[in-house]
Amino acid sequence: MFGKKFVLASSFYLFSLTCVSAQNNSEEFYQNLLVSSELEQQSAESEAKNSASKLLNRQIEVISPNVSNDDENSIQTRNQFFQQISQQYGSAPFGLIWGESRKDAEKMGVRLIHVEVKDYPQAYEAQNPPMPLKDFPKLTLFFGDSDKLFRILAQSSFIQGDLPKGEKTMRLYDKYYKLLAQKYKNAQQFYTPAVQNVDESLPNDTQSLNAASQNPNDNPNLLAELQSGSADLYATFDGDNVGAALSVSVDGDGQSYITIDYRNLKILKENELNVLEAL
């Protein structure tokens, strides 16, 4: 179902040549989810999912800080409006709401700054989200032609002083892999190590070292291989009409970081149907 090669689109500041093929594979992942049969309805939420939801998708108070306390009618009207949107598409990560418009997000106190992202003209850097996570200070929101929030790209800070095998990076990656796996269904990890020629004449311990690179946590040169594009590491998740992809990236300066790419599949499907109707 998934392409062999997949790396998330980099943040709005870091677009390099390696991101071109990564973007194509990211689009393939979400397209495969869209053209598949309707997602199964999730069963009763487990304790693990509830725990993850508290961190990644907590319920928010949809009261704009710009509204005065004595303007109760305006607050009530706005709350009802946001609740209606939330019921239609669901709550989004970082305290946002799937399907909200740019103005809706700004009413919630989010500061939006337009950024250039290839193939996504309605992309905005988001500052001051309702529910920020310190591990992901960089957010890009995508609203599309219909002016509905359908995609959130979250990028971590650069991880400083990491070893070539990426111990710090992998700890952060593993942390969010476990949380996303609890929250969403169908968690799958994909690791493509660099191609290595195994010489059977080598001692067994040397062959074992080469074999160990099949596990990203055991690869002594993980960051260099990810930077060169000779290796890939990502995981995908989907559930509750949301597709998410987690990946490890390394920029041209050797700085590693992780990204989570969330997309609302219901809105994407609606956009797809609107295009078909217009043809």
Side-chain angles (χ1 to χ4, degrees):
M1 176 179 176
F2 301 99
K4 179 180 178 182
K5 299 283 293 176
F6 179 96
V7 177
L8 289 170
S10 288
S11 72
F12 28 91
Y13 296 117
L14 302 168
F15 290 98
S16 61
L17 292 177
T18 58
C19 295
V20 176
S21 61
Q23 179 69 19
N24 292 336
N25 288 293
S26 176
E27 297 298 336
E28 181 179 354
F29 162 59
Y30 291 104
Q31 182 63 23
N32 287 338
L33 286 176
L34 284 175
V35 299
S36 64
S37 60
E38 294 293 328
L39 293 173
E40 299 177 0
Q41 292 298 320
Q42 206 161 16
S43 60
E45 295 180 342
S46 63
E47 288 297 324
K49 177 181 175 181
N50 287 334
S51 176
S53 296
K54 291 179 182 179
L55 177 61
L56 291 172
N57 193 16
R58 291 174 288 183
Q59 187 66 31
I60 62 169
E61 294 183 7
V62 288
I63 299 178
S64 170
N66 297 323
V67 179
S68 60
N69 292 331
D70 57 354
D71 194 359
E72 295 182 0
N73 291 332
S74 177
I75 291 175
Q76 184 177 4
T77 301
R78 184 167 299 168
N79 282 348
Q80 292 174 349
F81 175 71
F82 284 127
Q83 288 172 2
Q84 181 180 0
I85 298 176
S86 180
Q87 290 174 358
Q88 184 175 5
Y89 297 113
S91 298
F94 305 98
L96 300 167
I97 300 175
W98 292 119
E100 65 181 339
S101 67
R102 297 189 301 275
K103 289 184 178 180
D104 295 336
E106 290 173 336
K107 289 176 182 178
M108 298 172 70
V110 181
R111 183 187 179 196
L112 298 176
I113 303 173
H114 185 263
V115 292
E116 295 293 334
V117 179
K118 184 179 179 181
D119 299 327
Y120 291 93
Q122 304 301 327
Y124 295 83
E125 174 188 346
Q127 299 178 354
N128 194 38
M131 288 290 187
L133 287 176
K134 65 178 181 179
D135 286 333
F136 295 96
K138 296 181 180 180
L139 295 180
T140 308
L141 309 185
F142 300 81
F143 293 91
D145 294 335
S146 60
D147 195 20
K148 292 181 178 180
L149 177 64
F150 74 93
R151 179 185 178 193
I152 301 172
L153 181 63
Q155 180 185 307
S156 75
S157 300
F158 291 122
I159 299 169
Q160 305 295 330
D162 207 354
L163 297 175
K165 67 180 301 182
E167 290 183 352
K168 293 181 180 179
T169 304
M170 289 306 299
R171 279 199 298 270
L172 189 63
Y173 170 88
D174 290 338
K175 170 185 176 181
Y176 282 96
Y177 177 90
K178 292 176 182 177
L179 288 169
L180 290 166
Q182 290 173 19
K183 183 174 180 181
Y184 300 106
K185 298 186 296 182
N186 304 323
Q188 299 185 64
Q189 177 171 288
F190 300 87
Y191 173 53
T192 305
V195 176
Q196 298 185 15
N197 295 323
V198 178
D199 188 345
E200 295 182 357
S201 65
L202 294 175
N204 289 335
D205 58 346
T206 302
Q207 294 184 27
S208 299
L209 180 61
N210 288 333
S213 65
Q214 297 297 322
N215 184 334
N217 289 289
D218 296 330
N219 187 342
N221 301 305
L222 177 64
L223 297 185
E225 292 180 5
L226 291 174
Q227 181 183 25
S228 67
S230 60
D232 287 322
L233 175 60
Y234 64 94
T236 59
F237 316 82
D238 67 270
D240 291 337
N241 284 319
V242 174
L246 168 71
S247 77
V248 177
S249 300
V250 183
D251 73 355
D253 295 325
Q255 301 179 106
S256 59
Y257 57 97
I258 70 170
T259 54
I260 306 178
D261 189 350
Y262 301 90
R263 306 196 194 191
N264 187 287
L265 304 179
K266 185 176 181 180
I267 297 176
L268 288 174
K269 188 65 175 180
E270 289 179 357
N271 293 340
E272 183 182 73
L273 293 176
N274 289 336
V275 173
L276 289 175
E277 291 178 358
L279 292 177

